[in-house]
Amino acid sequence: VKPDNPDVHLQYGEVLTVLRMKEDAAREFASACQLLEASGRYGDWLNGLRRLIALDEDNLHGRLQLAEALARAGRAEESAKTFKALAEWLLRRDEITDWEQVAERALVQDPDDTTLAHDLALHYVRSGKHAMALSKLAICYEAGAVSAELLELSIDTLEALGQLEKAAMVCRELLRMCRRT
């Protein structure tokens, strides 16, 4: 009766979800999302997209689309959380290249996440991508998350980049840290 009403598609999708008819529910949620986006109801569109993704946890494209949409909507905290969950999922599946890109996007949304910055730096150093590791190490260092491991990673990175004087300075700082402990 109302094929252009997105609310009808959402409700029908909910009914189909309860009936465990996932493919049909996904089709209804997708239709609702298209109508909601076309009508400019972005908040409802995000909720519809969440329902669609909940039906298929392996929907990489949908999860990425949701995280990007949250970022565009200025909802950085939700976007970062979605990116981080997606990054963890990719890491469990051993999809390292995709993990790098998604983790980078998560760090853009939450630049204070020193754990993620450290994980990326460690990965980049092990992969020989020292130039990429340097900015992640700087995030950790500026946040005060200085440890012996961080200093060692910094030394390896600076040496690989040919910045031997800076590497020596960090080496002296590591030596001071070792003497204190």
Side-chain angles (χ1 to χ4, degrees):
V1 176
K2 296 183 180 181
D4 294 335
N5 186 336
D7 297 321
V8 172
H9 288 281
L10 287 172
Q11 290 173 354
Y12 190 39
E14 290 295 334
V15 170
L16 292 170
T17 301
V18 171
L19 295 174
R20 296 186 181 164
M21 299 172 70
K22 284 187 172 186
E23 291 175 8
D24 295 329
R27 184 188 64 243
E28 292 303 318
F29 286 136
S31 296
C33 285
Q34 288 175 340
L35 294 168
L36 289 166
E37 188 176 23
S39 65
R41 293 173 51 190
Y42 296 110
D44 293 331
W45 174 73
L46 288 170
N47 291 332
L49 191 55
R50 279 191 185 103
R51 290 177 182 165
L52 180 60
I53 293 167
L55 291 174
D56 182 13
E57 291 294 321
D58 292 338
N59 184 351
L60 173 65
H61 178 71
R63 294 174 77 181
L64 195 56
Q65 185 180 14
L66 175 63
E68 291 291 351
L70 288 166
R72 282 192 307 275
R75 295 159 82 172
E77 187 175 321
E78 289 178 78
S79 176
K81 185 177 176 183
T82 305
F83 275 124
K84 287 174 193 176
L86 183 55
E88 289 172 14
W89 181 79
L90 288 166
L91 199 55
R92 282 193 304 271
R93 295 176 58 110
D94 205 29
E95 297 180 25
I96 302 303
T97 304
D98 291 334
W99 171 79
E100 282 180 22
Q101 294 173 348
V102 172
E104 286 283 352
R105 287 293 294 139
L107 201 55
V108 166
Q109 296 302 313
D110 184 8
D112 298 328
D113 187 346
T114 56
T115 303
L116 186 57
H118 178 270
D119 292 346
L120 277 167
L122 182 61
H123 168 72
Y124 288 144
V125 168
R126 288 180 178 167
S127 302
K129 300 176 182 176
H130 297 282
M132 296 179 77
L134 195 56
S135 64
K136 308 312 174 254
L137 292 168
I139 290 171
C140 296
Y141 194 79
E142 289 171 3
V146 180
S147 65
E149 182 191 19
L150 180 75
L151 294 175
E152 288 173 5
L153 288 173
S154 299
I155 293 166
D156 291 344
T157 300
L158 292 168
E159 284 178 346
L161 295 173
Q163 298 181 12
L164 300 179
E165 289 180 24
K166 289 182 182 178
M169 285 179 19
V170 176
C171 207
R172 284 190 287 275
E173 188 174 335
L174 177 60
L175 184 60
R176 281 191 294 275
M177 180 183 281
C178 289
R179 285 181 180 153
R180 280 190 304 251
T181 60

